[in-house]
Amino acid sequence: MKPCIALTKGRLEKQFLDFFKSLSYDVDPLVNKGRKLRVETDDFQFVFAKGVDVTTYVEHGIADLGIVGEDILAEFQPDVYNLFPLPFGQCRMALATEEGKVWPERKRRIASKYTNITKEFFKQKGESVEIFKLEGSVELAPILGLADGIVDIVETGNTLKENGLVIKEEFFEFSARCIANRSSLKIKRDELATVIESFRRGVVVK
Ligand code: PRP
Ligand code: MG
């Protein structure tokens, strides 16, 4: 059976395909997949899922390898091998607030998809905050008055800018990572060696 790679859907997907193509792999079936979530190429089976679900499939050995943002690994700490960084998906984790708004002295309210990262960030500061878990579009929270600030990923900075928010503090720079199932690495060592090496080499070449 061909090795299975779980790929994070959305913005990492496009960047991965460019990277994969640059390594001379066959990407046509992936580019032309339409709404299919499972696609086979000459060498691999691919499954497309949300970042956190990529880690679940890899952790449970459904997928041998996964391509996922390090934000997801930091937030959910899945039991997988975190092999190496990939040369795409560069982002920063930041605390952001509304431009021109005074940072209040009372207990601050922070909205985020990343509640564990947020908790840890403020714990390191020795500051107690109230955290609101949102599932997306967290930039809305300060605008609508739910929170004083947000903790979220910033890539180009456009979403913050277009919503009148500014970075108050950046605290974690990361990229996409290649992860592996712990037993696949042992059992399928030979089948996975070439692709792992080419992903790793891709990193070195950049
Ligand atoms: C992500 C992130 C920021 C934005 C950062 O949201 O949560 O909102 O991208 O990118 P930028 O700095 O290039 O603007 P995404 O669009 O993935 O959607 P979601 O927050 O609703 O999950
Ligand atoms: Mg967002």
Side-chain angles (χ1 to χ4, degrees):
M1 209 150 87
K2 294 175 186 174
C4 179
I5 302 177
L7 183 53
T8 302
K9 286 201 298 189
R11 63 178 82 192
L12 279 189
E13 175 181 335
K14 163 87 178 67
Q15 298 179 48
F16 172 78
L17 292 187
D18 292 343
F19 173 68
F20 200 52
K21 192 173 176 185
S22 76
L23 301 174
S24 304
Y25 281 106
D26 159 39
V27 293
D28 289 349
L30 300 169
V31 174
N32 302 317
K33 72 178 176 52
R35 296 288 297 167
K36 259 193 260 151
L37 300 171
R38 231 177 125 182
V39 177
E40 210 167 301
T41 65
D42 291 347
D43 311 288
F44 306 101
Q45 299 177 64
F46 277 93
V47 295
F48 293 80
K50 292 221 175 208
V52 62
D53 298 340
V54 164
T55 68
T56 303
Y57 287 119
V58 173
E59 184 168 335
H60 295 280
I62 308 300
D64 302 302
L65 299 177
I67 306 296
V68 68
E70 198 174 4
D71 53 324
I72 298 294
L73 303 177
E75 175 68 17
F76 297 103
Q77 314 235 332
D79 184 15
V80 295
Y81 276 124
N82 182 354
L83 293 180
F84 43 78
L86 293 161
F88 55 87
Q90 279 86 2
C91 291
R92 300 155 279 159
M93 188 67 68
L95 170 65
T97 58
E98 263 187 299
E99 191 167 16
K101 199 92 182 251
V102 179
W103 193 228
E105 286 309 322
R106 56 164 163 72
K107 186 170 181 171
R108 290 158 188 151
R109 302 161 303 153
I110 307 296
S112 188
K113 289 185 274 191
Y114 302 93
T115 52
N116 293 326
I117 291 175
T118 303
K119 219 175 281 170
E120 190 54 35
F121 172 69
F122 283 101
K123 192 172 144 199
Q124 297 286 330
K125 289 179 165 296
E127 188 180 334
S128 154
V129 292
E130 186 179 359
I131 298 173
F132 294 94
K133 163 99 166 108
L134 292 177
E135 296 299 331
S137 303
V138 297
E139 292 84 358
L140 278 175
I143 300 169
L144 300 181
L146 178 71
D148 303 305
I150 61 170
V151 167
D152 200 14
I153 59 172
V154 179
E155 189 177 19
T156 61
N158 289 341
T159 313
L160 287 180
K161 202 167 162 199
E162 291 186 25
N163 291 288
L165 304 183
V166 288
I167 293 177
K168 194 167 170 59
E169 196 173 334
E170 278 177 25
F171 58 95
F172 170 37
E173 270 185 39
F174 59 92
S175 66
R177 306 280 310 191
C178 179
I179 59 171
N181 173 262
R182 292 189 181 279
S183 23
S184 293
L185 266 198
K186 297 184 191 112
I187 301 163
K188 303 187 184 175
R189 207 164 74 189
D190 295 343
E191 292 134 277
L192 295 176
T194 315
V195 65
I196 287 178
E197 251 336 284
S198 69
F199 282 178
R200 211 193 288 274
R201 260 204 327 274
V203 178
V204 175
V205 167
K206 283 263 166 175

